Amino acid sequence: MNALAGVLFHFIGGFASGSFYVPYKKVKGWSWESMWILGGLFSWIIVPPLAAWLTIPNFGDIIREAGTSTLGYTYLFGLLWGIGGLTYGLGVRYLGVSLGSSVMLGLSMVFGSLMPAIYYFFNQSPGKHGIDYFFTTNAGICVMVGLVVCIVGIYLCGRAGFLKERSLATLSAEAKSDYNFGVGIVVAIVSGVLSACFNFGIEAGKPMADVANQIWKAANPNQGEFLYQNNVSYVVILWGGFTTNVIWCLYLLTKNKTFSDYTNKTAPLRKNLLLCALAGTTWYLQFFFYGMGESRLGNGASSWILHMAFIILIANAWGVILKEWKGVNKSTYTSIIAGIVTIILSICIVGLAKTLE
């Protein structure tokens, strides 16, 4: 039952992450930096402490009493993840929701799931799996098979991107939009690698989550693990993400003289504000539900792979719904659909692994 609940929570989190950029695509008359920083205020500053306040009494005390090393590393990984999140928006801009998310989140999935296991192989810790776990146990081997299958699905989605670029000459100007494969793929690689730092931030902030978990378990004995324990860690991680993004966006707003977007009378100000708030809040919800899924499955490779796979799945589904592949030839469309189906298969395999433990 815990495994099923964990998969469900990861699906909801994946749906939120795979869908967050859709409201941004409806913003009119604003530059990318204008809408990104406004949505980010909700993602990083407003919603995280609100969620922590609603779920963890006196969460501020837990942060204040945490060790300097815990806070420092949690913030640092959030800072690095912030660069990944920043370039994620650019990657989606240049590659589209479907292809951009596949490449970036695929890389994040691989690095985020395996690097902690390599660390714990050399620095053993109770309840943590080393890299040997994935080659010496049935459950670990099953996880690795699921990871490989997901990589195949990502490859198929990437192949669809190459085929799409080749057929751009036959597409309309609207379908081409900002699509730029060369620039987009470089941005996507940077984003994918650094986005994995969010999982490292969760590991670094685990002492704070453990305190929240212990307090809750003392008040609610024999009721399992605290679903919302990671909400206190998210506050610090997202401070780091905010730092990176606000510096870059303020630079762009100044350089491009786009502060005027907020006073542009030809743009639908109220609608744009609401869309950015919706996008930012939806972005945060991925972490909220990831924490719930992690509390049921554990903060290991299975949780991270499931989370990333669901995001890739939903992002690609949105790509089809938003007609990002409209006008491409049959082989291109077949490739993106095959990629989606393969990723669904990988989710099933990783979910099965939890039943083998």
Side-chain angles (χ1 to χ4, degrees):
M1 185 59 71
N2 276 344
L4 181 60
V7 171
L8 176 61
F9 290 141
H10 282 310
F11 169 76
I12 298 173
F15 183 86
S17 181
S19 305
F20 91 94
Y21 205 83
V22 175
Y24 280 136
K25 295 176 77 70
K26 302 296 182 181
V27 173
K28 304 296 183 183
W30 281 7
S31 64
W32 175 86
E33 58 268 21
S34 296
M35 65 179 188
W36 188 257
I37 188 60
L38 188 59
L41 287 174
F42 285 86
S43 301
W44 310 308
I45 299 299
I46 298 174
V47 180
L50 176 61
W53 177 73
L54 290 172
T55 56
I56 305 175
N58 302 317
F59 77 94
D61 293 337
I62 297 176
I63 295 175
R64 281 190 292 271
E65 293 171 8
T68 303
S69 176
T70 296
L71 292 175
Y73 279 112
T74 305
Y75 177 82
L76 174 62
F77 284 125
L79 198 72
L80 295 173
W81 164 80
I83 299 175
L86 174 66
T87 48
Y88 184 97
L90 291 173
V92 170
R93 175 183 178 183
Y94 291 124
L95 296 179
V97 173
S98 184
L99 176 59
S101 296
S102 296
V103 175
M104 291 180 284
L105 296 173
L107 287 169
S108 178
M109 178 182 65
V110 173
F111 279 89
S113 60
L114 297 184
M115 290 304 292
I118 294 174
Y119 173 82
Y120 285 118
F121 178 75
F122 295 102
N123 300 273
Q124 296 184 6
S125 177
K128 300 296 183 181
H129 296 307
I131 194 68
D132 57 322
Y133 169 81
F134 302 104
F135 303 99
T136 58
T137 66
N138 290 334
I141 292 171
C142 192
V143 170
M144 287 300 293
V145 170
L147 178 61
V148 171
V149 171
C150 194
I151 291 172
V152 172
I154 294 166
Y155 163 76
L156 292 172
C157 294
R159 179 174 180 274
F162 280 109
L163 295 175
K164 176 182 178 180
E165 183 181 39
R166 188 181 300 171
S167 63
L168 274 178
T170 65
L171 299 180
S172 65
E174 180 181 358
K176 292 179 183 179
S177 61
D178 291 322
Y179 188 81
N180 186 322
F181 185 81
V183 174
I185 198 65
V186 173
V187 171
I189 291 172
V190 173
S191 176
V193 173
L194 292 182
S195 291
C197 288
F198 195 90
N199 198 30
F200 306 159
I202 294 175
E203 291 283 355
K206 200 63 180 173
M208 292 184 288
D210 287 341
V211 172
N213 191 35
Q214 291 165 10
I215 293 173
W216 182 85
K217 290 172 77 171
N220 301 272
N222 303 318
Q223 293 191 34
E225 303 297 314
F226 184 32
L227 275 176
Y228 309 112
Q229 58 185 274
N230 283 326
N231 286 355
V232 64
S233 303
Y234 292 157
V235 173
V236 181
I237 296 173
L238 294 173
W239 283 343
F242 174 76
T243 303
T244 305
N245 281 265
V246 74
I247 290 173
W248 179 245
C249 287
L250 287 175
Y251 165 74
L252 290 180
L253 286 165
T254 303
K255 176 178 178 290
N256 299 329
K257 297 181 173 59
T258 44
F259 277 109
S260 58
D261 286 349
Y262 302 122
T263 57
N264 182 4
K265 295 182 179 180
T266 63
L269 179 61
R270 182 176 299 178
K271 180 180 178 181
N272 284 356
L273 287 171
L274 290 173
L275 286 170
C276 289
L278 175 61
T281 302
T282 303
W283 171 273
Y284 172 76
L285 288 177
Q286 67 172 303
F287 309 129
F288 185 85
F289 285 102
Y290 176 86
M292 295 173 67
E294 184 256 16
S295 71
R296 290 294 177 260
L297 296 179
N299 187 29
S302 296
S303 280
W304 191 250
I305 292 170
L306 280 175
H307 184 65
M308 291 294 110
F310 276 127
I311 296 173
I312 296 168
L313 173 64
I314 298 300
N316 277 293
W318 275 118
V320 173
I321 293 171
L322 294 174
K323 303 186 185 304
E324 290 183 350
W325 302 92
K326 183 179 180 180
V328 299
N329 57 38
K330 184 177 179 180
S331 62
T332 304
Y333 198 77
T334 300
S335 185
I336 190 62
I337 296 300
I340 292 174
V341 172
T342 304
I343 291 169
I344 292 174
L345 176 61
S346 75
I347 291 169
C348 295
I349 294 172
V350 175
L352 174 65
K354 297 306 295 183
T355 67
L356 300 178
E357 292 184 344

